[in-house]
Amino acid sequence: MRAAVWYGRKNTKVVDVPDAPDPGPGEVKIKVAWTGICGTDLHEYWAGPIWMPLEPHPLTGKAAPLIQGHEFAGLIEEVGPGVVGFKPGDRVTADSETHCGKCWACQRHEYSLCEICAYLGLGRDGVFAPYVTIPADSVFHVPANISLQQASFSEPTAVAVHVLQRGRLAAGDSVLILGAGNQGLLQYQLIRHSSASQVFMVEFEGKRAEVARSLGAEVLDPSKVDVVDYVKKQTDGRGVDLTLDDAGNSETLTMALQATRIQGRVVEVGIFEKPATFNINDLVLKERELIGILNTGCMIPTALKLMAAGRVDPTPLISNRIDLEDVVEKGFEECIIHKDKNVKVIVNSNRDLWDA
């Protein structure tokens, strides 16, 4: 089969690879319909390895070169021995992580924080491929009123749910979202259905800002507006209660801290390609909280319920739909070079499932 394989920085190629294996006990084989290009995929392509293992992964034994991709939906192709609840043809999505079940985090059911967690496309072969074989306990049925294109957003939607949990979003909170990419726009859709009092988004003019405004967001262009000053004026001089930094760089981290009120919360969502530099006094002297976030927090079932209920619709976020063969040029390169023109590009691995 053909798959997008990471060989090194700026060196992902669509090549022939062995077919996905038949499912073993407790596993299912999935025919992949759609896979979203995630910021993590782009970071690994452009600046990796960040999480991509160069030595055998302690849980899976796998190392690069590996097939990339982890946000997906498809159809059950085959079920392995002992699997119940799934049958061929079922529409499904899956969590991207595989955990050890033994470490301190796993014993607390914090599986996303497993000490040796392996992710699809990062520690084991991913889903920029026609088929994938994975543990059945990471797989979830897709509700009937959600397309497989929409269901490919279940993982980032789950991340957005977990972000708001970690940030302890409360009734009446004012919120600042830095970055109107895929994650920021999913967060915005969740927040606008909450009891938050004010929501501001920061993004440069372009496609992302247009989509944000179409969803009802107030968008601030940091090249035209002093974001910290504006937000403080709109919050009686205090700053917002909660800031979500989806951009992940030193400048946005500084902006996030300075725009947040005394004892407010900053959730750092973005992946940093290099160490951050910021004034620690922006954190300490105002007793602000800086909170990390990793992966879904096992929130995919919740994400699917919210999508089925219409609280989140990822369709407006789709900038382009492309074939697997074009994932590097029309996917990775396009999203990096023309970031201002794209929010989310999704990749089709089986042409007969294009309309699924």
Side-chain angles (χ1 to χ4, degrees):
M1 66 180 185
R2 302 280 285 174
V5 178
W6 188 94
Y7 290 95
R9 184 177 300 179
K10 299 181 185 177
N11 188 19
T12 295
K13 301 176 183 177
V14 179
V15 297
D16 291 318
V17 300
D19 290 342
D22 293 335
E27 294 183 327
V28 295
K29 185 175 183 178
I30 298 173
K31 183 177 183 179
V32 179
W34 290 96
T35 302
I37 295 178
C38 174
T40 304
D41 300 316
L42 300 178
H43 285 302
E44 291 293 346
Y45 173 73
W46 194 254
I50 299 173
W51 280 335
M52 186 69 71
L54 300 182
E55 301 294 332
H57 191 281
L59 184 61
T60 65
K62 304 293 185 180
L66 289 172
I67 300 170
Q68 288 189 259
H70 58 276
E71 302 176 359
F72 81 108
L75 304 178
I76 295 288
E77 179 76 7
E78 187 178 351
V79 299
V83 172
V84 296
F86 296 103
K87 64 183 185 303
D90 283 353
R91 298 172 349 115
V92 295
T93 186
D95 206 332
S96 62
E97 53 86 8
T98 302
H99 54 271
C100 73
K102 300 176 182 179
C103 69
W104 184 83
C106 285
Q107 292 300 306
R108 289 168 53 88
H109 305 290
E110 299 285 357
Y111 300 119
S112 295
L113 297 175
C114 171
E115 293 176 5
I116 54 172
C117 192
Y119 298 99
L120 286 171
L122 298 163
R124 60 180 300 163
D125 279 326
V127 288
F128 284 129
Y131 295 91
V132 66
T133 300
I134 58 175
D137 62 7
S138 66
V139 179
F140 303 94
H141 288 281
V142 171
N145 65 336
I146 300 176
S147 72
L148 293 183
Q149 292 188 27
Q150 293 171 315
S152 69
F153 285 77
S154 61
E155 197 262 6
T157 302
V159 171
V161 172
H162 190 39
V163 166
L164 299 185
Q165 285 184 322
R166 292 281 291 152
R168 306 192 304 279
L169 177 67
D173 273 355
S174 53
V175 185
L176 175 65
I177 303 173
L178 302 183
N182 177 62
Q183 186 56 219
L185 292 170
L186 291 171
Q187 293 161 7
Y188 174 77
Q189 290 191 54
L190 291 171
I191 293 169
R192 74 176 181 178
H193 288 293
S194 75
S195 53
S197 61
Q198 296 169 288
V199 188
F200 310 95
M201 293 200 78
V202 176
E203 185 57 75
F204 294 101
E205 290 301 327
K207 177 68 173 180
R208 296 180 174 204
E210 291 174 9
V211 174
R213 290 193 181 97
S214 75
L215 294 172
E218 179 180 1
V219 181
L220 310 176
D221 183 340
S223 69
K224 300 176 181 178
V225 177
D226 184 323
V227 173
V228 174
D229 181 66
Y230 180 86
V231 166
K232 286 190 173 182
K233 286 180 179 178
Q234 299 302 310
T235 55
D236 297 326
R238 294 188 304 273
V240 295
D241 300 292
L242 173 64
T243 297
L244 312 176
D245 180 15
D246 296 300
N249 59 66
S250 296
E251 291 76 16
T252 56
L253 176 54
T254 295
M255 182 187 295
L257 289 167
Q258 293 179 353
T260 303
R261 66 164 170 81
I262 292 171
Q263 294 186 333
R265 292 98 60 204
V266 174
V267 182
E268 186 53 60
V269 188
I271 300 297
F272 285 66
E273 293 182 353
K274 57 184 179 181
T277 56
F278 67 100
N279 186 348
I280 192 67
N281 286 334
D282 285 338
L283 182 70
V284 175
L285 298 184
K286 302 296 183 180
E287 293 192 2
R288 296 171 174 126
E289 295 180 52
L290 181 58
I291 303 166
I293 169 71
L294 176 67
N295 207 5
T296 66
C298 303
M299 287 292 109
I300 284 185
T302 300
L304 289 169
K305 289 179 182 178
L306 290 167
M307 294 167 72
R311 303 289 287 273
V312 177
D313 180 11
T315 307
L317 281 56
I318 300 174
S319 305
N320 198 10
R321 300 164 176 84
I322 63 174
D323 288 311
L324 176 61
E325 292 291 332
D326 298 321
V327 66
V328 176
E329 181 179 349
K330 295 183 180 180
F332 294 175
E333 292 282 346
E334 172 66 19
C335 289
I336 292 168
I337 297 171
H338 298 122
K339 179 180 178 180
D340 61 324
K341 298 180 181 178
N342 292 280
V343 178
K344 190 73 167 185
V345 174
I346 59 175
V347 181
N348 177 256
S349 292
N350 283 283
R351 194 69 184 189
D352 59 319
L353 297 179
W354 184 275
D355 295 321

